[in-house]
Amino acid sequence: MAADYADIDIAPLIDHTLLNPLATPEQIDKLCQEADRYQFAAVCVYPIYVRQAAELLQRKNPKVCTVIGFPSGASTSTTKLYEAREAVENGATELDVVINLSWVKAGKTDQLNQEIAEICEETGQTVKAILETTLLTDAEKRLAAEICMDAGAAYLKTSTGWNGGATVADVKLLKEVAKERIGIKASGGILTIEQALDLVVAGATRLGTSRGVDLLRQRDNLDIEAKG
């Protein structure tokens, strides 16, 4: 294991995610149990499961996160705000909001700023702006990141996972823009512990993945190999 990796504890960085449209209540139960057992940062579930997750994790450390405008970001601002308010009423304390990508492409920066700012101000909760970096140029990534930071987002998130995933290059770019003012969530396609650790070293302060438990097992195997 690389020296840079030696002291990284990834469990507190993981948003334990289940965004399969076919997810069952029983799977949400398991997700929350695992998040509590391994002390992950949060669970990330669809809005329909926020109340269940909040009840299961009441008085426990993992936070309840949900997605807003997911996965396209093309909902109206009114719809996103309603969805965000309802999620908070049901117990969510973190909101992963897909930005309107067409506004980035069209240069409608005021509308984008207003949409994110309204959600931040009206809910008072942690907002992670999903930039869907795989669909943007580097210049657009920088622009979107600056707008979302100015609007009050607490994190810049790379991806939904529906159009590709997080890359080390994109995390480094977002870190450069953020200048440690807000967090960076790498999400999408994180399948191996090596990927996860590379993203953390690059600057990710949260990892969105459905493979959290598997990543910890992989990490244990790496530690055993290193000692052996």
Side-chain angles (χ1 to χ4, degrees), residues 1-8 193-194 197 218-227:
M1 187 186 303
D4 287 344
Y5 295 170
D7 297 323
I8 298 175
I193 187 61
E194 291 84 1
L197 293 169
Q218 291 180 41
R219 178 59 187 265
D220 288 343
N221 289 336
L222 279 181
D223 288 340
I224 291 170
E225 291 172 7
K227 290 175 182 176

Side-chain angles (χ1 to χ4, degrees), residues 50-194:
V50 166
R51 189 181 295 277
Q52 178 183 346
E55 290 174 354
L56 290 168
L57 292 172
Q58 188 175 13
R59 293 186 293 277
K60 298 183 184 298
N61 289 328
K63 302 178 187 304
V64 177
C65 173
T66 194
V67 287
I68 305 297
F70 191 88
S72 73
S75 306
T76 66
S77 295
T78 301
T79 299
K80 286 183 181 177
L81 182 58
Y82 179 87
E83 192 175 21
R85 283 173 172 162
E86 183 181 45
V88 171
E89 288 172 3
N90 287 336
T93 59
E94 299 194 348
L95 306 168
D96 286 17
V97 182
V98 188
I99 68 169
N100 189 317
L101 295 167
S102 67
W103 285 348
V104 178
K105 297 288 184 181
K108 295 185 177 181
T109 56
D110 289 344
Q111 289 95 319
L112 179 56
N113 182 284
Q114 182 177 348
E115 178 174 278
I116 299 300
E118 271 193 330
I119 294 173
C120 292
E121 292 165 8
E122 293 290 333
T123 65
Q125 301 299 327
T126 297
V127 170
K128 308 188 198 97
I130 306 177
L131 307 185
E132 203 69 301
T133 49
T134 58
L135 302 182
L136 301 177
T137 66
D138 282 357
E140 290 167 343
K141 294 168 197 174
R142 292 177 185 277
L143 175 64
E146 292 284 3
I147 292 169
C148 292
M149 285 195 296
D150 183 63
Y155 287 82
L156 300 172
K157 180 177 172 180
T158 60
S159 322
T160 61
W162 287 56
N163 295 287
T167 66
V168 165
D170 280 340
V171 169
K172 287 182 176 178
L173 183 150
L174 296 180
K175 180 182 179 181
E176 179 186 333
V177 175
K179 294 181 173 63
E180 298 186 357
R181 289 173 287 176
I182 66 173
I184 297 168
K185 179 175 174 178
S187 183
I190 305 174
L191 305 178
T192 69
I193 187 61
E194 291 84 1

